[in-house]
């Protein structure tokens, strides 16, 4: 399950080379996000993921990161059997989340946070897991920007039934402070542990996990 129920969850997101994914789990990550949005700098085609990640998916938690997916991509992603969770990172409506939950899918809904009003929509979605990211119109995350962390605290106070996943501009240098200030259920990082978009620096990943666990 992600986030895990009894400790902080750590998710590393965005890989252009599927061969890096097993190494990330070896370093202690709880989940890995595979970006299936073709416009992302970290896009990995579903066919490639199916080719290289079937064995990893059998033992570890993979998350499909989707942005305004059409029905064909959603169905293909679910049919692949690779992903234990679907992360909707675009402008998907509450009705789609409700439909996926009815189909037995675990869903993380991502929200771009700019101010307190940005949090209002959280309550309209039925999923328990919500990811808070920085406001990046048109980019849908992964830009390395953070948002005021007090908004994550406000979200947890306003929606105590939700599990908050903190994202946006996290790095090995900031993660301990971010966790101490917001007490999220999980954290999610992409650009903060990279040597290039979609290429993870394994030393930075190890450092990030060490400070998050610490």
């Amino acid at each position: 399950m992600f986030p895990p129920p009894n400790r902080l969850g750590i998710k590393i997101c965005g890989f252009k080379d599927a061969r890096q994914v097993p190494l990330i789990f070896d370093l202690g990550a709880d989940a890995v996000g595979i970006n299936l949005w073709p416009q992302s700098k970290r896009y990995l085609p579903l066919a490639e993921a199916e080719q290289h990640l079937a064995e990893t998916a059998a033992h570890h938690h993979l998350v499909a990161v989707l942005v305004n997916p059409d029905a064909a991509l959603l169905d293909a992603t679910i049919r692949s059997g690779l992903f234990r969770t679907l992360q909707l990172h675009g402008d998907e409506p509450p009705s789609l989340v409700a439909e996926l939950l009815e189909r037995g899918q675990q869903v993380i809904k991502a929200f771009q946070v700019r101010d307190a009003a940005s949090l209002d929509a959280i309550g309209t979605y039925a999923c328990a897991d919500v990811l808070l990211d920085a406001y990046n119109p048109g980019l849908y995350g992964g830009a390395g920007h953070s948002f005021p962390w007090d908004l994550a605290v406000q979200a947890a106070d306003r929606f105590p039934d939700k599990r908050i996943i903190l994202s946006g501009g996290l790095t090995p240098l900031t993660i301990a402070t971010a966790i101490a200030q917001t007490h999220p259920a999980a954290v999610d990082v992409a650009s903060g542990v990279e040597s290039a978009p979609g290429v993870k620096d394994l030393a930075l990943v190890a450092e990030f996990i060490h400070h998050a666990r610490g």
Side-chain angles (χ1 to χ4, degrees), residues 35-214:
N35 199 316
L36 301 178
W37 184 41
Q39 293 172 252
S40 171
K41 296 181 291 186
R42 301 172 180 87
Y43 173 56
L44 185 70
L46 178 59
E48 250 183 81
E50 289 180 292
Q51 181 181 354
H52 295 291
L53 292 176
E55 183 176 349
T56 299
H59 303 286
H60 297 289
H61 199 121
L62 296 184
V63 177
V65 180
L66 300 153
V67 176
N68 302 325
D70 59 23
L73 177 57
L74 261 180
D75 289 343
T77 301
I78 293 169
R79 281 199 313 271
S80 74
L82 292 179
F83 302 102
R84 303 186 190 186
T85 303
L86 305 177
Q87 179 175 312
L88 300 181
H89 216 97
D91 308 305
E92 302 86 2
S95 59
L96 178 59
V97 170
E99 174 192 329
L100 290 169
L101 293 173
E102 289 175 7
R103 293 172 66 179
Q105 301 299 309
Q106 182 187 1
V107 179
I108 297 170
K109 180 67 185 83
F111 297 87
Q112 294 194 17
V113 177
R114 178 170 48 177
D115 50 31
S118 307
L119 306 176
D120 294 346
I122 292 174
T124 67
Y125 286 82
C127 56
D129 301 303
V130 299
L131 183 145
L132 304 183
D133 202 351
Y135 182 72
N136 291 301
L139 295 179
Y140 298 106
H145 304 309
S146 61
F147 65 91
W149 291 332
D150 65 293
L151 293 174
V153 177
Q154 290 184 40
D157 289 342
R158 288 181 60 184
F159 306 102
D161 58 328
K162 304 295 190 187
R163 292 187 288 264
I164 303 298
I165 302 170
L166 186 68
S167 187
L170 300 175
T171 71
L173 296 178
T174 63
I175 186 58
T177 301
I179 291 169
Q181 290 185 10
T182 64
H183 303 287
V187 294
D188 180 286
V189 65
S191 63
V193 292
E194 287 182 334
S195 56
V199 181
K200 298 302 183 272
D201 181 316
L202 297 183
L204 288 178
V205 173
E207 187 181 354
F208 183 91
I209 292 173
H210 171 74
H211 289 303
R213 295 277 183 241

